[in-house]
Amino acid sequence: MATANGAKSSSSLATADGANSPKVLLYSILLTLQYGSQPLVSKRFIGKDVIVTTFVLICEIFKVVFALILMARDGSLKGLSKEWTFMGSLTASGLPAAIYAVQNTLLQISYRNLDSLTFSILNQTKIFFTALFTFIVLRQKQSIQQVGALCLLIMAAVLLSVGEGSNKGPSASNSDQVLFYGIIPALVASLLSGLASSLCQWASQVKNRSSYLMTVEMSIVGSLCLLVSLLKFPDGEAIKRDGFFHGWTALTLVPVISDALGGILVGLVTSHAGGVRKGFVIVLALLVSALLQYVFEGKPPSLYCLVALPIVMISISLYMKYPYTTRRRRRRRSKDPFTD
C-alpha cells in the first residue's frame, strides 16, 4: 500500500508540475483568449453577405493543412500510405464527418443571430450531450456530482432559451429571429457535437485512429457532404449567382485561422494539463466573451445572461473536478467489520 500510495503521489505531483509549467500556462491563456473571442471575431469579420457554406468549406481546408503539418512533424505522415484504407476511413470517420459538417453550418448561422455571451453559454450544453452520447455509445458513466452539474447546465440553457426567445422587444419578428436562427441552431449544433464526439471517441478506441488522421478524414468527407448539399440548398444557387467568395474580405480569414488554431490548442491543453485545466479555461473564456462584448460592442450582458453565467461556471467546474470513480476504488477507503 505504501508503494502504491507513493507512486500515486509522485504521479499527482508530476501532473501538477506539468500543468503549472510556463508552456502549459501559455497554452491555457491562448486557448482562453481564442475560445472567448471566437464568437465576437466571427461576428465582426464574417460579413452578412458571406455564404455560410463557403466559410465552412474554407475552415475545413485549413484544418486539413494544419493536421497534415502536425502529422509531418511527428513522423506519422510517412507510413500513412501503407496503413490507410478507404473502407477503414469511411467506417471510422464518415458519419462523424457528415454530422460535423451540419453542425458547423448551424454554428455559423447561430453566430450571426446571437450576441457573443449568449452563444458562448448555449454552446456549453455540448458537454451534456457529449456525456449522454458517450454513455449510450461507450457506456461511460458519470459521478453524482457530474449529473448534478449537467442538470445545472440544462437549467441555464432553458433559462436563456425561454428568456431570450420570449423577450418581446421593439418587434416580435426580431425575437423570433433570435429564437429560430440563433438559439435553436446553437442547441441543435451542441447535440450534434455530442453525438459526433462520442463516435470519434469510439473510432479512436476501437479502430485505433489517430486524432490528426481523423481530422483530415472528417474534413474531407465533411467537405464532400457540403458540396453535395449545394445541389439542393439555396447556398448552391447563391454561389452560382454571386461567386464562391462573395462577401469575403482579407479579414474573413481571421476567424478561419482562429478556429483551426483553437482546435490545436484544445489538444495541447488537454494532453499536457488534463480535462480539469481545460474546464477552467472554458469558464474563464465565458468571462472573456462578456468583457469583449462590452468593450467592442458597448452592449452589457442581458439579465438572463447574468443569471445563467454563474450557473454555467459552477456547472463546468463541478463536472471537471469530480470525475466518476469505480466502486472498487471507493471501497478501499474503509472496511466495514459487519460485512466480512
Side-chain angles (χ1 to χ4, degrees):
M1 287 296 293
T3 304
N5 289 337
K8 184 177 179 181
S9 299
S10 300
S11 176
S12 299
L13 182 60
T15 302
D17 291 341
N20 293 321
S21 68
K23 183 165 63 175
V24 174
L25 180 60
L26 176 62
Y27 293 155
S28 300
I29 293 173
L30 291 176
L31 180 58
T32 300
L33 295 175
Q34 185 277 329
Y35 199 95
S37 63
Q38 186 67 30
L40 182 65
V41 168
S42 297
K43 191 173 182 179
R44 290 178 70 88
F45 296 138
I46 303 175
K48 293 288 185 180
D49 295 332
V50 172
I51 302 169
V52 172
T53 303
T54 65
F55 180 84
V56 176
L57 284 170
I58 298 300
C59 282
E60 297 303 322
I61 292 173
F62 270 81
K63 288 179 184 177
V64 170
V65 171
F66 283 128
L68 289 175
I69 291 173
L70 290 171
M71 290 177 69
R73 183 179 178 184
D74 67 13
S76 60
L77 191 59
K78 296 180 179 178
L80 187 60
S81 59
K82 299 179 181 179
E83 301 174 0
W84 188 87
T85 62
F86 176 76
M87 288 306 300
S89 173
L90 192 62
T91 302
S93 305
L95 183 56
I99 294 173
Y100 274 129
V102 177
Q103 178 214 355
N104 288 333
T105 302
L106 290 173
L107 285 177
Q108 296 307 318
I109 295 173
S110 182
Y111 275 146
R112 300 181 179 192
N113 294 281
L114 290 176
D115 63 76
S116 303
L117 184 57
T118 300
F119 175 85
S120 295
I121 295 176
L122 285 175
N123 196 36
Q124 303 317 307
T125 57
K126 64 186 177 183
I127 297 178
F128 169 81
F129 292 115
T130 300
L132 175 63
F133 285 113
T134 51
F135 174 75
I136 294 174
V137 176
L138 299 169
R139 296 299 175 188
Q140 183 175 318
K141 299 180 179 179
Q142 310 294 322
S143 68
I144 295 176
Q145 293 91 336
Q146 286 179 321
V147 172
L150 293 172
C151 291
L152 287 175
L153 193 64
I154 293 304
M155 285 174 54
V158 170
L159 175 66
L160 277 173
S161 300
V162 174
E164 298 289 342
S166 63
N167 184 17
K168 304 297 182 182
S171 67
S173 60
N174 183 63
S175 177
D176 292 340
Q177 181 177 353
V178 169
L179 176 61
F180 291 106
Y181 294 97
I183 292 172
I184 291 178
L187 291 175
V188 175
S190 292
L191 184 149
L192 294 177
S193 175
L195 176 59
S197 295
S198 64
L199 292 174
C200 288
Q201 189 173 343
W202 171 82
S204 177
Q205 294 178 357
V206 178
K207 299 293 185 179
N208 294 320
R209 312 291 285 186
S210 73
S211 59
Y212 296 148
L213 178 57
M214 286 194 66
T215 297
V216 173
E217 292 173 336
M218 289 193 297
S219 293
I220 293 175
V221 175
S223 297
L224 292 175
C225 291
L226 287 174
L227 290 173
V228 171
S229 73
L230 293 177
L231 300 175
K232 294 291 183 179
F233 288 95
D235 280 3
E237 293 297 325
I239 291 174
K240 290 180 182 178
R241 182 180 65 251
D242 302 320
F244 188 88
F245 290 104
H246 176 68
W248 280 67
T249 67
L251 292 177
T252 309
L253 289 175
V254 174
V256 171
I257 297 173
S258 174
D259 185 72
L261 292 177
I264 296 173
L265 289 170
V266 167
L268 290 171
V269 172
T270 304
S271 61
H272 287 85
V276 174
R277 173 61 67 87
K278 190 184 79 171
F280 283 110
V281 166
I282 292 173
V283 172
L284 292 174
L286 292 177
L287 297 176
V288 171
S289 292
L291 178 62
L292 291 178
Q293 177 178 289
Y294 180 72
V295 171
F296 290 100
E297 297 181 354
K299 182 179 179 182
S302 69
L303 177 61
Y304 301 106
C305 284
L306 291 175
V307 175
L309 180 58
I311 296 176
V312 173
M313 293 174 65
I314 294 171
S315 170
I316 297 175
S317 297
L318 285 174
Y319 187 85
M320 294 297 180
K321 288 178 67 176
Y322 298 99
Y324 176 80
T325 56
T326 61
R327 292 181 179 179
R328 183 182 302 175
R329 288 183 59 187
R330 289 197 292 266
R331 281 199 293 263
R332 286 180 179 178
R333 297 176 183 175
S334 62
K335 263 189 176 182
D336 188 346
F338 298 101
T339 58
D340 289 339

